[in-house]
Amino acid sequence: MTDRPLFVPVLLGTPRQGRMSEHAARVVWEEVEKRPGVETELLDVAALPIRVDDAGEGAKDPAFSEKMNRADALILVTPEYNHGYAGLLKHVLDTNLKEYIHKAAGIVGVSAGVFGGARAIENLIPVLRELGLVTIFWDVNFTTVRRRFDEDGNLVDESFLAIDKFLDELLWMAKTLRYGRENVTIGGSS
Amino acid sequence: MTCPRCGAQMNHQAEKLVQPVTADEAAAASTALDGVLELVFACPACGLIDSRRETGETQTSA
């Protein structure tokens, strides 16, 4: 089995000004960085030069696609806007396909209320499935997010975040799926 | 498929049904599947993902 480090980027999924999800994404990214054998990068949909008047191959950003190609797992940080995820996150995800297939995906939900983005997460799961990503059964929910961080964006309440459990499961899935992608042939007996 | 980056033999790891977007893709779509099959490969040596459509068209890497 290959000894290449896992690559697990964190994608901040909203471009809105004043987004609290930025703080959440940074906290998760810092936790991923602590894991041995894992490389990560914090990506921001607001910083991607992806045109919004085209789709698929026509809208691909080569640098973003290269990162998705290299990724073994993807962490999506999504706020909940009117019970859904941000529109730009969907558009960005839709610019790739083969890059995602049989790779692990974990979702971090962020909301001002007590559900911690749970409804946005539930809406996002069938989209990820169609993109070929494999979702895990742990989420991270930043509930009542404005109470979680101080004015400088420092996390002041870590209760019930379960980031360690989330990352344990995501990295297990990432390793397992990498083995499958590289060694198990579809329709074969190996 | 041979890995375009390192030359190793790639593993055929998935077949994904893709809905046609362009007129050419629609013309090439299988009526039985209502879409085009994308054959996806992974390189066990360097990890690169690549694919080609069942029609024979190669989808170049990012």
Side-chain angles (χ1 to χ4, degrees):
Chain A
M1 193 166 178
T2 177
D3 57 358
R4 280 180 277 117
L6 294 172
F7 180 51
V8 183
V10 177
L11 180 60
L12 170 55
T14 172
R16 285 194 188 178
Q17 295 180 42
R19 55 196 180 173
M20 296 299 289
S21 297
E22 184 172 358
H23 304 319
R26 181 179 40 75
V27 165
V28 172
W29 171 69
E30 288 171 350
E31 291 300 316
V32 180
E33 274 211 311
K34 295 175 185 173
R35 295 296 180 117
V38 178
E39 294 179 356
T40 185
E41 189 171 336
L42 182 55
L43 307 174
D44 182 349
V45 293
L48 298 176
I50 291 179
R51 52 189 299 181
V52 295
D53 62 348
D54 204 345
E57 295 287 328
K60 268 188 168 183
D61 170 46
F64 179 70
S65 294
E66 190 280 329
K67 293 180 198 306
M68 295 302 101
N69 198 315
R70 180 184 163 212
D72 295 288
L74 184 59
I75 297 174
L76 302 165
V77 181
T78 179
E80 183 172 299
Y81 297 149
N82 295 327
H83 291 198
Y85 49 85
L88 188 58
L89 174 61
K90 175 69 162 66
H91 181 67
V92 166
L93 289 172
D94 284 348
T95 60
N96 288 278
L97 178 63
K98 70 175 188 282
E99 292 83 353
Y100 303 131
I101 290 177
H102 291 160
K103 295 184 177 181
I107 311 174
V108 176
V110 181
S111 72
V114 297
F115 295 115
R119 292 168 294 207
I121 291 172
E122 291 300 310
N123 286 332
L124 189 54
I125 286 172
V127 174
L128 302 184
R129 175 180 178 270
E130 180 58 18
L131 290 171
L133 289 158
V134 181
T135 54
I136 61 170
F137 49 69
W138 281 94
D139 305 319
V140 178
N141 301 96
F142 282 85
T143 58
T144 54
V145 67
R146 293 198 177 278
R147 291 186 219 156
R148 292 264 181 193
F149 296 95
D150 63 20
E151 290 182 352
D152 297 321
N154 300 307
L155 186 66
V156 294
D157 178 4
E158 298 184 28
S159 59
F160 305 111
L161 284 179
I163 294 177
D164 282 345
K165 296 291 187 192
F166 170 84
L167 288 180
D168 287 348
E169 173 66 17
L170 186 72
L171 297 180
W172 186 94
M173 191 70 83
K175 292 175 190 170
T176 302
L177 289 172
R178 175 193 273 186
Y179 179 84
R181 285 195 309 274
E182 298 180 358
N183 296 281
V184 182
T185 301
I186 192 78
S189 56
S190 58
Chain B
M1 178 183 278
T2 300
C3 178
R5 184 159 65 192
C6 75
Q9 187 63 33
M10 302 181 85
N11 181 51
H12 179 195
Q13 56 125 344
E15 296 182 351
K16 176 74 175 69
L17 185 65
V18 180
Q19 301 302 315
V21 176
T22 66
D24 288 345
E25 287 176 345
S30 157
T31 52
L33 295 173
D34 192 28
V36 180
L37 271 184
E38 183 137 347
L39 313 182
V40 186
F41 299 79
C43 178
C46 73
L48 184 76
I49 305 297
D50 208 345
S51 68
R52 62 179 167 82
R53 297 283 166 92
E54 196 176 44
T55 56
E57 175 192 359
T58 298
Q59 303 297 299
T60 56
S61 301

